[in-house]
Amino acid sequence: RSGTGKTTAIVTRLAGERAAFPDERQLFVARSAKLRTFVEKGVEAACGSARRPASRTARRPAGATRSRSQAGMGRGAAGVGR
């Protein structure tokens, strides 16, 4: 299914999450390195910032998690997490 906006939706969602929670790290999983790079560059362009260093850590204490609804992920979300 091409041209339905799936990638655009993911880029928009990840950019929004990055803006809402700037101190947290994100994980995007894709089988294709080309898709991963495309999404990474799209999120960076949407946020207007360079890639954050991997050494930054989230402020949430270890073991503390949010439910899917608190994270705004809803039902059926998979492959993207914090």
Side-chain angles (χ1 to χ4, degrees):
R1 298 184 179 190
S2 61
T4 60
K6 295 179 298 291
T7 304
T8 301
I10 289 293
V11 168
T12 303
R13 181 178 213 153
L14 289 173
E17 290 283 317
R18 180 182 278 187
F21 305 101
D23 293 328
E24 294 189 18
R25 296 175 63 188
Q26 296 175 313
L27 174 65
F28 173 77
V29 179
R31 293 181 73 175
S32 163
K34 186 176 180 178
L35 175 61
R36 180 191 48 80
T37 302
F38 183 82
V39 170
E40 180 179 29
K41 288 181 179 181
V43 171
E44 289 173 2
C47 291
S49 64
R51 183 176 178 184
R52 292 176 298 197
S55 63
R56 292 189 68 178
T57 59
R59 292 184 183 175
R60 180 174 294 130
T65 60
R66 295 183 310 171
S67 70
R68 284 169 139 350
S69 61
Q70 287 173 322
M73 296 175 73
R75 295 172 116 167
V80 177
R82 294 195 190 280

